[in-house]
Amino acid sequence: GETGAGKSILLGALGLLLGERASSDLIRTGAEKAIVEAEFDLQNYPRISKFLSAEGFDNDSSSVIIRREISRKGTSRAFINDTPASLQQLKQTGELLVDLHGQHEHQSLLHSERHIDFLDEYANVSALQQTYSQLYEQFSHSRRAYEDLKKHRETAEKERNFLEFQRTEIEAVAPLRGEDEEIQRKLLVLEHSEELQLASSELHTILYDDEDSIFEKLSSSKLLLEQLTRFDSTFDDQLKELAASLESIRELAHSVSRYADHLESDPAKLQQLRSRDLELTRLKKKYGPSLEEVIALQERVIHLLGDGGSIDEQIIQAEQTLLALQKKSSKAAFALSDARIKAAKKFEKHITAELQTLGIEHGVFAVNITQKQLKNNDLFSSAVVQDTLVFEANNNGCDHVEFYISTNKGEQPKPMAKVASGGEVSRCMLAIKTVLSASEQIPVLIFDEIDTGISGRVAQRVGTAMKRLAKKHQLIAITHLGQIASFGDHHYIVEKNTSGANTTSRLRLLSAKEHEAEIARLLSGETITGESLKAARSLLHEAESLAA
């Protein structure tokens, strides 16, 4: 189709079915929602049927229908065989059904960090990779906890001197709970001893010692009340109460007397209590505000100072855990590395053979696998060690994988990103896809303009390679090269039509004559000439011969 005819709509629709992010901008103006639906034949793909059954989807093992609905509100729903599906389930299903190679995806070969993914896919090391990845995550988590413990210990060491100072200062005073309140009570008595002496002496006189004291008057009253009770018993209770009161007055008078006798002015004791009170007041101002809080702080400081040993024990235990995990993850990493090295030899041969088929006759493909040694003394800086060597590691292991290529005879392979042209990179990607697809059970392969940078004889070889792929997979190719289009079993064209106020794009299957004419148009442009038609027929005939 012409530029702007709507080829991207087809790929965008497939992308939505494969779990890509949905947007309400995709909905036609005036419509409330957009629906994308596709049906896949699963008769020769039991692995996909098994996955769908395991996920709880209705499945007759013959086909699967995937549908995605996008609403104007921006929400989307997914269905697999009319059963609601999560986006994650949609992605997992899509990965089993379709390999969509976008228009610029071959450029990923120019980024060496992607090369390890291609090699792992060929080597089929997912089980080894998963085992290592889980150990790596455990090691990383344990290492963060270990570092936190060390930081905590460092912080504790910095605070230790201050804590020691606090403890020494508080212990030097040695405060007791309630001591400040007791001191205040004693100070009040000592500071007012003279007033207390006078008041208690006077009270004793009034109650008991004076000739006209309260005790004397009550005693006289008691005699009179006893006379009344001899003749009238109704006063018996009152007599008892008066007798009790008289005894209380006597006891009170004696207590006051004893209190007065013990009162004394003691300047030394008064000064001692004032000094003690001042010490407690200083502590409360600094660590308080109450003596109870000062004592609570003292207990916390003692606990923190005693916790140093506990942290050291935790760090030792964390180190033992890290060593055990490091040993396991290192073993898993090198097992993964060995599998990659073994697979790389076969991968090199297969890709080199495909490149030669695709027109790079003297092409040599090589896989360079290296490990980077870290130059530091931190044993736990990496999850992967060997003897005393520490290697850089990540979630993929300790290997750095980079593809090398030589396209000229006699030249040693060099990094692909530095020496490969655009057309060579495109053919390298096709070679990789061809090799990987041989072992893959993915039904549909989609190539969007993988023919970038090639033409003529090379394009014909690319077409031949695609034709071989199409024997094991459904292959959909978007191309502007007649040499590649001539190999297609079916030729579709994307057209844009305007009717009234609406514009639509449609995908139309061409007849044999239209197929021939479209190839001629790809060769000569909009105007189809007799020569271009002749050239188109020649391409179709040659493609048929090569495909046979």
Side-chain angles (χ1 to χ4, degrees), residues 372-418:
K372 181 179 179 181
Q373 184 181 339
L374 296 177
K375 296 180 180 179
N376 59 49
N377 296 321
D378 184 2
L379 177 64
F380 298 131
S381 61
S382 172
V384 180
V385 298
Q386 190 175 51
D387 298 327
T388 58
L389 303 180
V390 181
F391 295 94
E392 184 178 77
N394 55 33
N395 198 50
N396 273 330
C398 61
D399 296 323
H400 175 71
V401 176
E402 187 171 8
F403 294 159
Y404 280 45
I405 190 173
S406 169
T407 57
N408 297 308
K409 191 174 182 179
E411 291 290 331
Q412 290 297 314
K414 295 178 181 178
M416 183 177 292
K418 295 182 179 179

Short mmCIF file of all heavy atoms in Angstrom, two decimals, residues 372-418:
data_model
loop_
_atom_site.label_atom_id
_atom_site.label_comp_id
_atom_site.label_asym_id
_atom_site.label_seq_id
_atom_site.Cartn_x
_atom_site.Cartn_y
_atom_site.Cartn_z
N LYS A 372 33.16 -9.75 32.86
CA LYS A 372 33.93 -8.61 33.34
C LYS A 372 34.26 -8.79 34.81
O LYS A 372 33.37 -8.94 35.64
CB LYS A 372 33.15 -7.31 33.14
CG LYS A 372 33.90 -6.06 33.59
CD LYS A 372 33.10 -4.80 33.35
CE LYS A 372 33.86 -3.57 33.84
NZ LYS A 372 33.07 -2.32 33.63
N GLN A 373 35.57 -8.78 35.10
CA GLN A 373 36.01 -8.92 36.48
C GLN A 373 36.00 -7.56 37.17
O GLN A 373 36.45 -6.56 36.61
CB GLN A 373 37.42 -9.50 36.52
CG GLN A 373 37.93 -9.78 37.93
CD GLN A 373 39.34 -10.33 37.92
OE1 GLN A 373 39.80 -10.86 36.92
NE2 GLN A 373 40.03 -10.19 39.04
N LEU A 374 35.43 -7.52 38.38
CA LEU A 374 35.38 -6.28 39.15
C LEU A 374 36.67 -6.12 39.95
O LEU A 374 37.15 -7.07 40.57
CB LEU A 374 34.18 -6.28 40.10
CG LEU A 374 32.79 -6.32 39.44
CD1 LEU A 374 31.70 -6.40 40.50
CD2 LEU A 374 32.57 -5.10 38.57
N LYS A 375 37.20 -4.92 39.92
CA LYS A 375 38.45 -4.65 40.64
C LYS A 375 38.14 -3.93 41.95
O LYS A 375 38.30 -2.72 42.08
CB LYS A 375 39.38 -3.80 39.77
CG LYS A 375 39.81 -4.51 38.49
CD LYS A 375 40.73 -3.64 37.65
CE LYS A 375 41.16 -4.37 36.39
NZ LYS A 375 42.03 -3.53 35.53
N ASN A 376 37.65 -4.67 42.92
CA ASN A 376 37.43 -4.12 44.25
C ASN A 376 37.58 -5.23 45.28
O ASN A 376 37.66 -6.41 44.95
CB ASN A 376 36.06 -3.45 44.37
CG ASN A 376 34.92 -4.41 44.07
OD1 ASN A 376 34.86 -5.51 44.62
ND2 ASN A 376 34.00 -4.00 43.20
N ASN A 377 37.61 -4.81 46.53
CA ASN A 377 37.83 -5.78 47.61
C ASN A 377 36.55 -6.20 48.31
O ASN A 377 36.59 -6.88 49.33
CB ASN A 377 38.80 -5.17 48.65
CG ASN A 377 40.18 -4.90 48.05
OD1 ASN A 377 40.67 -5.69 47.26
ND2 ASN A 377 40.77 -3.77 48.42
N ASP A 378 35.43 -5.74 47.78
CA ASP A 378 34.15 -6.07 48.40
C ASP A 378 33.67 -7.42 47.88
O ASP A 378 33.24 -7.54 46.73
CB ASP A 378 33.11 -4.97 48.09
CG ASP A 378 31.78 -5.23 48.79
OD1 ASP A 378 31.67 -6.22 49.54
OD2 ASP A 378 30.85 -4.43 48.60
N LEU A 379 33.75 -8.43 48.70
CA LEU A 379 33.38 -9.78 48.28
C LEU A 379 31.92 -9.86 47.88
O LEU A 379 31.55 -10.61 46.98
CB LEU A 379 33.65 -10.77 49.43
CG LEU A 379 33.25 -12.23 49.18
CD1 LEU A 379 34.07 -12.82 48.05
CD2 LEU A 379 33.42 -13.05 50.45
N PHE A 380 31.07 -9.04 48.54
CA PHE A 380 29.62 -9.13 48.31
C PHE A 380 29.13 -8.10 47.28
O PHE A 380 27.94 -7.81 47.21
CB PHE A 380 28.86 -8.95 49.62
CG PHE A 380 29.17 -10.02 50.63
CD1 PHE A 380 29.49 -9.70 51.94
CD2 PHE A 380 29.13 -11.36 50.28
CE1 PHE A 380 29.77 -10.68 52.88
CE2 PHE A 380 29.41 -12.35 51.19
CZ PHE A 380 29.74 -12.02 52.50
N SER A 381 30.04 -7.54 46.50
CA SER A 381 29.62 -6.55 45.50
C SER A 381 28.94 -7.20 44.31
O SER A 381 28.32 -6.53 43.49
CB SER A 381 30.82 -5.73 45.02
OG SER A 381 31.79 -6.59 44.41
N SER A 382 29.02 -8.51 44.19
CA SER A 382 28.40 -9.23 43.08
C SER A 382 27.87 -10.57 43.56
O SER A 382 28.36 -11.14 44.53
CB SER A 382 29.40 -9.44 41.95
OG SER A 382 28.86 -10.28 40.94
N ALA A 383 26.86 -11.07 42.83
CA ALA A 383 26.30 -12.38 43.16
C ALA A 383 27.14 -13.52 42.59
O ALA A 383 26.91 -14.68 42.91
CB ALA A 383 24.86 -12.48 42.63
N VAL A 384 28.12 -13.17 41.74
CA VAL A 384 28.89 -14.20 41.05
C VAL A 384 30.38 -14.05 41.38
O VAL A 384 30.98 -13.01 41.10
CB VAL A 384 28.69 -14.12 39.53
CG1 VAL A 384 29.50 -15.20 38.82
CG2 VAL A 384 27.20 -14.27 39.19
N VAL A 385 30.96 -15.09 41.98
CA VAL A 385 32.39 -15.11 42.28
C VAL A 385 32.95 -16.48 41.89
O VAL A 385 32.23 -17.47 41.81
CB VAL A 385 32.66 -14.85 43.79
CG1 VAL A 385 32.18 -13.48 44.21
CG2 VAL A 385 32.03 -15.93 44.65
N GLN A 386 34.24 -16.50 41.67
CA GLN A 386 34.93 -17.76 41.40
C GLN A 386 36.30 -17.67 42.06
O GLN A 386 37.12 -16.83 41.67
CB GLN A 386 35.06 -18.02 39.90
CG GLN A 386 35.56 -19.42 39.58
CD GLN A 386 35.56 -19.67 38.08
OE1 GLN A 386 36.09 -18.88 37.32
NE2 GLN A 386 34.95 -20.76 37.65
N ASP A 387 36.49 -18.52 43.06
CA ASP A 387 37.70 -18.42 43.89
C ASP A 387 37.74 -17.03 44.51
O ASP A 387 36.86 -16.67 45.26
CB ASP A 387 38.94 -18.73 43.06
CG ASP A 387 38.90 -20.15 42.50
OD1 ASP A 387 38.34 -21.02 43.19
OD2 ASP A 387 39.41 -20.37 41.39
N THR A 388 38.77 -16.25 44.18
CA THR A 388 38.85 -14.89 44.74
C THR A 388 38.44 -13.83 43.72
O THR A 388 38.55 -12.63 43.98
CB THR A 388 40.29 -14.60 45.20
OG1 THR A 388 41.18 -14.76 44.09
CG2 THR A 388 40.69 -15.55 46.32
N LEU A 389 37.96 -14.26 42.55
CA LEU A 389 37.57 -13.32 41.49
C LEU A 389 36.09 -12.96 41.62
O LEU A 389 35.25 -13.82 41.82
CB LEU A 389 37.84 -13.94 40.12
CG LEU A 389 39.29 -14.38 39.84
CD1 LEU A 389 39.39 -14.96 38.44
CD2 LEU A 389 40.25 -13.21 40.02
N VAL A 390 35.81 -11.67 41.49
CA VAL A 390 34.44 -11.17 41.58
C VAL A 390 34.04 -10.66 40.19
O VAL A 390 34.76 -9.87 39.58
CB VAL A 390 34.33 -10.02 42.61
CG1 VAL A 390 32.88 -9.53 42.71
CG2 VAL A 390 34.83 -10.47 43.97
N PHE A 391 32.88 -11.13 39.69
CA PHE A 391 32.46 -10.77 38.34
C PHE A 391 31.23 -9.87 38.36
O PHE A 391 30.35 -10.01 39.22
CB PHE A 391 32.14 -12.04 37.53
CG PHE A 391 33.35 -12.90 37.27
CD1 PHE A 391 33.66 -13.97 38.11
CD2 PHE A 391 34.18 -12.64 36.19
CE1 PHE A 391 34.76 -14.76 37.88
CE2 PHE A 391 35.29 -13.44 35.95
CZ PHE A 391 35.58 -14.49 36.79
N GLU A 392 31.17 -8.99 37.40
CA GLU A 392 29.99 -8.15 37.23
C GLU A 392 28.80 -9.04 36.87
O GLU A 392 28.93 -9.93 36.01
CB GLU A 392 30.24 -7.14 36.11
CG GLU A 392 29.11 -6.16 35.91
CD GLU A 392 29.43 -5.15 34.81
OE1 GLU A 392 29.33 -5.53 33.63
OE2 GLU A 392 29.80 -4.01 35.13
N ALA A 393 27.69 -8.82 37.50
CA ALA A 393 26.52 -9.69 37.25
C ALA A 393 25.24 -8.85 37.27
O ALA A 393 25.18 -7.79 37.88
CB ALA A 393 26.45 -10.79 38.30
N ASN A 394 24.25 -9.38 36.59
CA ASN A 394 22.92 -8.78 36.62
C ASN A 394 21.90 -9.90 36.56
O ASN A 394 22.24 -11.07 36.78
CB ASN A 394 22.73 -7.78 35.47
CG ASN A 394 23.01 -8.40 34.11
OD1 ASN A 394 22.76 -9.58 33.89
ND2 ASN A 394 23.54 -7.62 33.19
N ASN A 395 20.67 -9.57 36.25
CA ASN A 395 19.60 -10.56 36.26
C ASN A 395 19.77 -11.63 35.18
O ASN A 395 19.16 -12.69 35.24
CB ASN A 395 18.24 -9.86 36.08
CG ASN A 395 17.09 -10.73 36.50
OD1 ASN A 395 17.10 -11.29 37.59
ND2 ASN A 395 16.10 -10.87 35.64
N ASN A 396 20.64 -11.35 34.19
CA ASN A 396 20.87 -12.31 33.10
C ASN A 396 22.07 -13.20 33.34
O ASN A 396 22.38 -14.07 32.53
CB ASN A 396 21.06 -11.56 31.77
CG ASN A 396 19.75 -11.28 31.08
OD1 ASN A 396 18.80 -12.05 31.23
ND2 ASN A 396 19.67 -10.19 30.36
N GLY A 397 22.80 -12.96 34.41
CA GLY A 397 24.00 -13.75 34.67
C GLY A 397 25.24 -12.87 34.66
O GLY A 397 25.17 -11.66 34.88
N CYS A 398 26.38 -13.47 34.36
CA CYS A 398 27.64 -12.71 34.36
C CYS A 398 28.22 -12.59 32.95
O CYS A 398 29.37 -12.16 32.79
CB CYS A 398 28.66 -13.37 35.29
SG CYS A 398 29.10 -15.06 34.82
N ASP A 399 27.43 -12.96 31.94
CA ASP A 399 27.94 -12.93 30.57
C ASP A 399 27.59 -11.64 29.86
O ASP A 399 26.48 -11.10 29.98
CB ASP A 399 27.34 -14.09 29.76
CG ASP A 399 27.76 -15.44 30.29
OD1 ASP A 399 28.92 -15.55 30.72
OD2 ASP A 399 26.93 -16.36 30.28
N HIS A 400 28.56 -11.14 29.10
CA HIS A 400 28.31 -10.06 28.14
C HIS A 400 28.38 -10.70 26.76
O HIS A 400 29.43 -11.25 26.37
CB HIS A 400 29.33 -8.94 28.27
CG HIS A 400 29.18 -7.88 27.22
ND1 HIS A 400 28.12 -6.99 27.21
CD2 HIS A 400 29.93 -7.59 26.13
CE1 HIS A 400 28.24 -6.18 26.16
NE2 HIS A 400 29.33 -6.53 25.49
N VAL A 401 27.28 -10.63 26.03
CA VAL A 401 27.20 -11.28 24.71
C VAL A 401 27.16 -10.20 23.64
O VAL A 401 26.36 -9.26 23.71
CB VAL A 401 25.95 -12.17 24.61
CG1 VAL A 401 25.82 -12.76 23.21
CG2 VAL A 401 26.00 -13.28 25.65
N GLU A 402 28.02 -10.34 22.64
CA GLU A 402 28.00 -9.40 21.51
C GLU A 402 28.23 -10.16 20.21
O GLU A 402 29.08 -11.05 20.14
CB GLU A 402 29.08 -8.33 21.69
CG GLU A 402 29.00 -7.25 20.63
CD GLU A 402 29.92 -6.07 20.90
OE1 GLU A 402 30.73 -6.15 21.83
OE2 GLU A 402 29.82 -5.06 20.16
N PHE A 403 27.42 -9.79 19.21
CA PHE A 403 27.53 -10.44 17.91
C PHE A 403 28.61 -9.75 17.07
O PHE A 403 28.66 -8.50 16.99
CB PHE A 403 26.21 -10.40 17.15
CG PHE A 403 25.12 -11.22 17.81
CD1 PHE A 403 23.77 -10.96 17.53
CD2 PHE A 403 25.42 -12.24 18.69
CE1 PHE A 403 22.77 -11.72 18.13
CE2 PHE A 403 24.43 -12.99 19.29
CZ PHE A 403 23.10 -12.72 19.01
N TYR A 404 29.47 -10.55 16.45
CA TYR A 404 30.51 -10.06 15.54
C TYR A 404 30.18 -10.56 14.14
O TYR A 404 29.56 -11.61 13.95
CB TYR A 404 31.89 -10.57 15.97
CG TYR A 404 32.53 -9.82 17.11
CD1 TYR A 404 31.82 -9.48 18.26
CD2 TYR A 404 33.87 -9.47 17.05
CE1 TYR A 404 32.42 -8.80 19.30
CE2 TYR A 404 34.49 -8.80 18.10
CZ TYR A 404 33.76 -8.46 19.22
OH TYR A 404 34.36 -7.79 20.25
N ILE A 405 30.63 -9.81 13.15
CA ILE A 405 30.37 -10.22 11.77
C ILE A 405 31.51 -9.77 10.85
O ILE A 405 32.13 -8.73 11.09
CB ILE A 405 29.02 -9.65 11.25
CG1 ILE A 405 28.65 -10.28 9.91
CG2 ILE A 405 29.05 -8.14 11.19
CD1 ILE A 405 27.27 -9.91 9.43
N SER A 406 31.77 -10.60 9.86
CA SER A 406 32.67 -10.22 8.77
C SER A 406 31.92 -10.47 7.48
O SER A 406 31.35 -11.55 7.28
CB SER A 406 33.94 -11.08 8.82
OG SER A 406 34.69 -10.89 7.63
N THR A 407 31.89 -9.48 6.60
CA THR A 407 31.15 -9.62 5.34
C THR A 407 32.09 -9.75 4.14
O THR A 407 31.63 -9.92 3.01
CB THR A 407 30.22 -8.41 5.13
OG1 THR A 407 31.01 -7.21 5.15
CG2 THR A 407 29.16 -8.35 6.21
N ASN A 408 33.38 -9.64 4.41
CA ASN A 408 34.36 -9.74 3.32
C ASN A 408 35.37 -10.84 3.61
O ASN A 408 35.79 -11.03 4.75
CB ASN A 408 35.10 -8.41 3.14
CG ASN A 408 34.16 -7.29 2.75
OD1 ASN A 408 33.39 -7.43 1.80
ND2 ASN A 408 34.21 -6.19 3.48
N LYS A 409 35.75 -11.54 2.55
CA LYS A 409 36.69 -12.65 2.70
C LYS A 409 38.02 -12.15 3.23
O LYS A 409 38.55 -11.12 2.81
CB LYS A 409 36.89 -13.31 1.32
CG LYS A 409 37.64 -14.63 1.40
CD LYS A 409 37.67 -15.29 0.02
CE LYS A 409 38.36 -16.65 0.08
NZ LYS A 409 38.37 -17.30 -1.25
N GLY A 410 38.56 -12.89 4.20
CA GLY A 410 39.85 -12.54 4.77
C GLY A 410 39.79 -11.58 5.94
O GLY A 410 40.81 -11.35 6.61
N GLU A 411 38.63 -11.01 6.20
CA GLU A 411 38.48 -10.07 7.32
C GLU A 411 38.02 -10.82 8.57
O GLU A 411 37.15 -11.68 8.50
CB GLU A 411 37.47 -8.99 6.98
CG GLU A 411 37.93 -8.01 5.91
CD GLU A 411 39.04 -7.11 6.40
OE1 GLU A 411 39.08 -6.83 7.62
OE2 GLU A 411 39.86 -6.69 5.58
N GLN A 412 38.63 -10.48 9.69
CA GLN A 412 38.21 -11.07 10.96
C GLN A 412 36.88 -10.43 11.41
O GLN A 412 36.66 -9.24 11.20
CB GLN A 412 39.27 -10.84 12.03
CG GLN A 412 40.55 -11.63 11.82
CD GLN A 412 40.29 -13.13 11.88
OE1 GLN A 412 39.61 -13.63 12.76
NE2 GLN A 412 40.86 -13.86 10.90
N PRO A 413 35.99 -11.23 12.01
CA PRO A 413 34.72 -10.65 12.50
C PRO A 413 34.96 -9.52 13.50
O PRO A 413 35.86 -9.61 14.34
CB PRO A 413 34.03 -11.85 13.17
CG PRO A 413 34.63 -13.05 12.50
CD PRO A 413 36.06 -12.69 12.23
N LYS A 414 34.17 -8.47 13.37
CA LYS A 414 34.24 -7.32 14.27
C LYS A 414 32.83 -7.02 14.79
O LYS A 414 31.84 -7.54 14.25
CB LYS A 414 34.81 -6.11 13.52
CG LYS A 414 36.25 -6.31 13.07
CD LYS A 414 36.76 -5.11 12.28
CE LYS A 414 38.19 -5.33 11.82
NZ LYS A 414 38.69 -4.18 11.01
N PRO A 415 32.71 -6.19 15.82
CA PRO A 415 31.38 -5.90 16.37
C PRO A 415 30.41 -5.46 15.29
O PRO A 415 30.72 -4.58 14.47
CB PRO A 415 31.66 -4.78 17.37
CG PRO A 415 33.06 -5.03 17.82
CD PRO A 415 33.78 -5.53 16.60
N MET A 416 29.23 -6.07 15.27
CA MET A 416 28.25 -5.82 14.23
C MET A 416 27.88 -4.35 14.13
O MET A 416 27.70 -3.80 13.03
CB MET A 416 26.99 -6.66 14.50
CG MET A 416 25.92 -6.53 13.45
SD MET A 416 24.51 -7.61 13.79
CE MET A 416 25.26 -9.21 13.54
N ALA A 417 27.76 -3.67 15.27
CA ALA A 417 27.34 -2.28 15.28
C ALA A 417 28.34 -1.38 14.56
O ALA A 417 27.98 -0.29 14.11
CB ALA A 417 27.15 -1.80 16.72
N LYS A 418 29.59 -1.83 14.43
CA LYS A 418 30.64 -0.99 13.84
C LYS A 418 30.87 -1.23 12.36
O LYS A 418 31.38 -0.35 11.65
CB LYS A 418 31.95 -1.20 14.60
CG LYS A 418 31.89 -0.74 16.05
CD LYS A 418 33.24 -0.94 16.73
CE LYS A 418 33.18 -0.46 18.18
NZ LYS A 418 34.48 -0.65 18.89
#
